[in-house]
Every structure is written in structure tokens, then in C-alpha cells.
Amino acid sequence: MANVDERKSVLDPWGTTVVEDYNHLYEEFGIQKFDSLLPNIPDPSMYMRRGVIFGHRDFDRVLEAMRQGGDFAVMSGIKPTGEFHLGTLMTAKEIIYFQQQGAQAFYAIADIEAYEDNRLPFEKTEKIAVGNVADLLALGFDPKKGCIYRQYKEQRVRDLAIHFGAGVTLATMKAIYGERHIGLYLSALIQAGDILMPQLKDFGGPKPTVVPVGVDQDAHLRLTRDLANKFRRKFKFVPPSSTYHKILKGLDGSPKMSKRNPMSYFTLNESPKSIGKKIMSAFTGGRATVEEQKKLGGVPEICPIYEIEMCHFVEDDKEVVETYKCCKCGNLMCGEHKARTKEIVTKFVEEHQRKREKLVDKAREILGVN
């Protein structure tokens, strides 16, 4: 039992985070519940409406700016270690949502973190980043109303990290992240620079900033909020806000998608045929036999097929509710559901890949890659 409790208490941005009880996060880490804010959001996103975004830190100040038409920013990014998958798709769509609500949008290519955590050289992450940015543009990110950059090339971020190094001790970093090599602590200070860069004078000065991330990244937000307070006199920083989305299940039924198991996830650059095979082979919340399914109903709460529809590919809330009910009462068979999901997803991916191909040169231009 002690091991289970310990696992619940650790949110590791560089390891495996498994959340068994999201209520535990409210109590242990002081994350605030998001659902109480929902009635006040003028145009809530799909993730907000469906409870995929479950928590926040000080989102109230961002919400006030949204409601009053004030200045605010959204900031997040990607570690360029591979192609876009469903987790990075979610973060990208969240950034685009806030950009469409009027935010200045910032998207960091975390190539310094990729080097320190994954030992990927900058020459390799540069090539990966081109595809990542093309994906982002294909999803609807407007580069005219945003800033896309590489950590390694952004001097302002590195300058902030140097300042922040004077505001933390080794004991503080160990308390937040555990014992790591110094390079990872450095990359954490760089990410604090990413999060607070939108508030520099170059971008209009201090403003509410929201960082949409998976809950496993909360350690970076706690560090950055502490640094914002410590350096408030010098930079006038507003402590950054954040929203947290739930961790997606693997297609194989595992608690989290993992690159170690190719059958647990798919990328947006994968062939539609391969994606279709993975969907048709996926774990479900169905019963052992058709007879049992009709009698007992399915369990959509544990079904990754229902989850990827609900979290990504079905915009209509009524359709999602209807799917849930039909599964629960046993009217929807898993084979039928998989076939429908396969059609929806492969159609989306085919269209996305066509858009992406046309935007590769634009991505190169934005990143300054020859």
C-alpha cells in the first residue's frame, strides 16, 4: 500500500506518471478544480466541457482577461523527440483554442530539454522540429499572432534562466524534481524562462499567462510560479496560470501511451493503414462475449476507443453522450465502435497530412532551417 501511495504522490515530467486518483492531486499538490469555472467561460473548449481539463492554478485571472478583452498569453510547447502523437495533439489544440480567444500564443521547441533528457543532438532535433511545427500550423496555429521558437536559439529564454539560477538552491531543485543530473535542472530553469518570456517588455510586458499541459508537467509550473514571485521586483512578473489535462490511456489498455510500445499509440504522420490496424487491435471496455455485452453493457470509462473519440475526434457533445449511453446499455458492440472510430480517425489523419505537407517550407522558414 505504501508503494501505491508513493506513486500517487509523484508527478514526474521526465519519467512515468500514473494517476490513479485525480482527487488526490487537489489535496496533495493544491491544484484547483476546473469544473467550478466552466459556467463563466464564454466559449469553453471541447476539453473543458468534457472534463478532460480537470484542474488549474489561478486560471481565474486569465478568465477575467478573456471576459474583459484584456491582454493575456498562452504558452506551451513540445520536446522534439518524434512525431506528433495524441498527447502533443491535445496540447497543440489547447494553445490554438486560447489563441482564437485572443491570446498572444507562444510555442517552444524544447530542444535543450531533448538534449539533456534524451541526449538528442541539436542537429537531429532541428529536423524533427520542422515536422512538429508543420503539424502545429496544419492544426490551425496562426504564426502572425504567435511566436514559435527553439530554446537553443532564443537568447531571451537563456538570459532568464541565468537570472533564475540565482534564485534557487540545489536543495530546492531536489525537493521539486528529485535527484537528477545538473543538465535536467538547467533545462527546468530554461523552461521557466519559456513560461515567463511572454511577459517581457519585448512582448508587451507583464500579463496573465496560461500554460496548458498534462498534469505530469506540474513541477515546472510550481518552480516557475516561485521564481515569478522571487523576481517580481525586477521583472514585474504575474505568476503564471495553468490548466491540466488528464493523461490518456494507451490503445493497449495501459494507463499511459508509451513510445516503448508502438501498439499503445499512433502518430499523426503514421500511415492511415497502420493507424487503422492499431485501432482495430486496441483494448476496449467490452465484455467477453456478445451475449454478456448485451446483458451487462460495456465499460466506456476504461475504453481507449471511447477516450480517443471523446478527447480528439468527435466535436459534437451529443454524439459523445449517445456513444457512452449505447456502450453502457450494451447496444453498441466493440467491433462496430472500432470500425466507426477507425473511419473517423483515418479521415482526419489523411486530411491533416495533406495540409502538413504544404506547410513544411513555412515551418522551415519560421525556425530558420535551410
Side-chain angles (χ1 to χ4, degrees):
M1 182 60 72
N3 290 337
V4 172
D5 289 342
E6 183 179 350
R7 186 170 67 244
K8 283 183 179 181
S9 301
V10 175
L11 298 177
D12 186 353
W14 300 308
T16 300
T17 296
V18 177
V19 179
E20 297 183 355
D21 179 8
Y22 283 93
N23 287 322
H24 176 78
L25 302 181
Y26 304 132
E27 301 162 8
E28 181 71 12
F29 295 100
I31 292 173
Q32 300 159 280
K33 294 185 178 182
F34 192 85
D35 55 6
S36 62
L37 298 178
L38 197 57
N40 299 317
I41 300 175
D43 182 21
S45 72
M46 178 174 73
Y47 300 131
M48 294 173 178
R49 299 193 308 268
R50 298 175 186 176
V52 180
I53 293 176
F54 71 93
H56 73 100
R57 291 191 189 276
D58 288 346
F59 186 71
D60 312 66
R61 62 168 62 104
V62 174
L63 178 55
E64 183 66 18
M66 291 172 65
R67 290 169 60 88
Q68 300 298 325
D71 291 338
F72 72 105
V74 59
M75 189 281 140
S76 198
I78 187 171
K79 185 166 65 167
T81 57
E83 300 289 348
F84 253 50
H85 51 75
L86 294 182
T88 46
L89 171 63
M90 185 179 295
T91 303
K93 289 172 78 172
E94 290 178 79
I95 293 171
I96 292 165
Y97 162 79
F98 284 113
Q99 185 183 54
Q100 292 171 345
Q101 300 303 308
Q104 278 185 294
F106 294 77
Y107 193 78
I109 303 299
D111 48 6
I112 291 178
E113 184 186 20
Y115 176 77
E116 297 294 355
D117 188 26
N118 305 92
R119 286 293 178 265
L120 291 181
F122 296 114
E123 296 80 11
K124 183 171 184 178
T125 53
E126 179 181 83
K127 294 177 181 177
I128 295 171
V130 170
N132 293 162
V133 172
D135 279 311
L136 181 70
L137 298 175
L139 291 167
F141 185 95
D142 185 351
K144 295 178 182 178
K145 298 178 181 178
C147 176
I148 302 171
Y149 65 92
R150 295 172 59 195
Q151 290 175 332
Y152 183 62
K153 295 290 188 179
E154 181 48 75
Q155 189 63 46
R156 286 166 292 203
V157 165
R158 293 157 72 179
D159 287 347
L160 284 172
I162 291 169
H163 283 293
F164 297 158
V168 294
T169 65
L170 182 59
T172 297
M173 298 303 278
K174 284 183 177 180
I176 296 173
Y177 295 104
E179 187 163 344
R180 308 282 187 165
H181 65 76
I182 296 299
L184 281 178
Y185 294 153
L186 171 63
S187 77
L189 294 176
I190 292 285
Q191 288 191 62
D194 289 325
I195 293 168
L196 292 171
M197 188 178 78
Q199 299 193 48
L200 295 179
K201 290 181 180 178
D202 291 356
F203 301 104
K207 63 179 71 67
T209 303
V210 60
V211 186
V213 287
V215 71
D216 55 338
Q217 302 298 306
D218 180 57
H220 297 319
L221 269 301
R222 284 183 274 129
L223 172 65
T224 306
R225 285 165 61 84
D226 183 55
L227 289 168
N229 286 320
K230 286 182 177 179
F231 287 87
R232 181 176 292 177
R233 179 175 296 180
K234 181 175 180 63
F235 293 102
K236 307 295 191 296
F237 287 137
V238 177
S241 306
S242 51
T243 60
Y244 300 106
H245 57 245
K246 292 181 177 179
I247 295 171
L248 295 179
K249 303 177 185 69
L251 290 176
D252 59 346
S254 56
K256 184 179 181 181
M257 294 181 179
S258 171
K259 291 182 180 179
R260 295 178 181 177
N261 180 7
M263 293 305 291
S264 76
Y265 75 104
F266 59 83
T267 73
L268 297 191
N269 199 38
E270 203 167 326
S271 74
K273 184 177 180 180
S274 171
I275 293 171
K277 284 183 178 179
K278 290 181 178 182
I279 290 173
M280 295 306 294
S281 301
F283 174 84
T284 70
R287 304 293 178 176
T289 66
V290 171
E291 197 173 274
E292 283 186 25
Q293 180 89 347
K294 290 181 177 179
K295 181 180 179 180
L296 302 174
V299 189
E301 293 86 355
I302 66 170
C303 180
I305 298 299
Y306 170 75
E307 186 175 73
I308 64 173
E309 274 197 10
M310 188 265 289
C311 290
H312 294 294
F313 299 107
V314 177
E315 294 288 339
D316 190 333
D317 290 345
K318 292 181 180 178
E319 187 175 338
V320 171
V321 171
E322 185 63 22
T323 296
Y324 179 90
K325 289 180 178 177
C326 287
C327 176
K328 204 73 174 173
C329 72
N331 289 338
L332 179 62
M333 297 296 110
C334 295
E336 176 190 349
H337 193 191
K338 285 182 175 180
R340 187 182 74 190
T341 302
K342 172 186 171 182
E343 182 178 352
I344 292 169
V345 174
T346 54
K347 182 179 179 180
F348 171 88
V349 169
E350 287 168 355
E351 179 62 23
H352 175 79
Q353 290 178 0
R354 283 193 289 269
K355 292 178 182 177
R356 180 188 191 272
E357 183 63 29
K358 295 176 182 178
L359 291 163
V360 170
D361 288 343
K362 182 65 175 177
R364 289 181 177 277
E365 178 188 331
I366 290 171
L367 294 172
V369 176
N370 295 326

